Amino acid sequence: MKKILIIFCVLLTIPAMAQNQRPAFKAGEWLKFRIHYGFLNASYATLQLSNDTIDSLPVYHVVGRGKTTGFASIFFKVDDTYESYFGKRDGKPYRFIRKINEGGYTKDIEIDFNYNEDKAILKDNKHGTQMDIPVHDDIQDLLSASYHLRNKYSLDDLEVGKSIDMDMLFDDDGVYKFKLKFLGKEVIRTKFGKVECLKFRPVVQSGRVFKEKESLTLWVSNDYNKIPIRIKADLAVGSLKADLDAYNGLRNQFKIIM
């Protein structure tokens, strides 16, 4: 069960492409996902978007929470919280918070992005340390990336088999090079009905967590919202599946094929 919630949050950063630059989200958007690990209903994860300010700058504040439930929590307890504050106008992250407890493995970090000095200040509250990390204006954190790219890219920019690259910072490991391949369109069955989706595959590092470099697949709704609908991952041990379970406060109508 270790790393399940981290994997899920990374997958949510996969770009959801906007059509005709129509806004894809608004404050009040709430998404809930049910995560399965093998045959177990392992956990639930939620994303809640609201309005806020940082140093008088209008920002969106997104909070992502994940927690194991039921039978799965007997084997491995997970209680993770991720937060991001990103600009309403520029989509850039200004603060990122990661507090996790995964079977006793804990982290408590905060990252403040200082674009005037081209650096991010990472504070490790668990160990009482601090470090500076060089960044550029196009950097994103683990959560802000999804919202930023939902508005930035046009569907016309996508080409089957081609990849999109993006730099992300969300830990003391430094800048993470994210690569994503577009696979085309696919209609899938969900609890809400049939949904036409855009299908993506990120290239990840195989080894301890993932079985192969292309072990992950994500489907996002092919409408103006571009929300994650389904995630599948072949792990080094077992498999993971996450499905959209509930939603509220979408900016645009959720397109369902009747």
Side-chain angles (χ1 to χ4, degrees), residues 150-180:
R150 281 166 73 176
N151 280 333
K152 180 178 179 180
Y153 283 87
S154 169
L155 185 60
D156 296 334
D157 296 331
L158 293 173
E159 184 177 347
V160 175
K162 297 294 184 179
S163 296
I164 297 170
D165 298 332
M166 183 172 58
D167 289 342
M168 291 192 291
L169 175 63
F170 54 89
D171 207 346
D172 54 10
D173 292 332
V175 176
Y176 175 70
K177 300 290 185 179
F178 188 76
K179 182 181 287 290
L180 180 75

Side-chain angles (χ1 to χ4, degrees), residues 17 19 155 182 184-190 192-200 218-230 244 253-258:
M17 308 305 175
Q19 298 172 333
L155 185 60
F182 178 55
K185 298 180 182 180
E186 183 176 338
V187 176
I188 63 174
R189 292 181 180 273
T190 74
F192 310 104
K194 293 181 179 179
V195 179
E196 183 178 75
C197 296
L198 303 177
K199 188 177 181 181
F200 297 94
L218 170 79
W219 292 260
V220 299
S221 61
N222 186 24
D223 56 16
Y224 289 116
N225 297 298
K226 296 297 183 294
I227 54 176
I229 300 297
R230 177 169 296 162
L244 180 67
Q253 183 178 359
F254 185 23
K255 187 177 179 181
I256 300 174
I257 303 173
M258 302 303 294

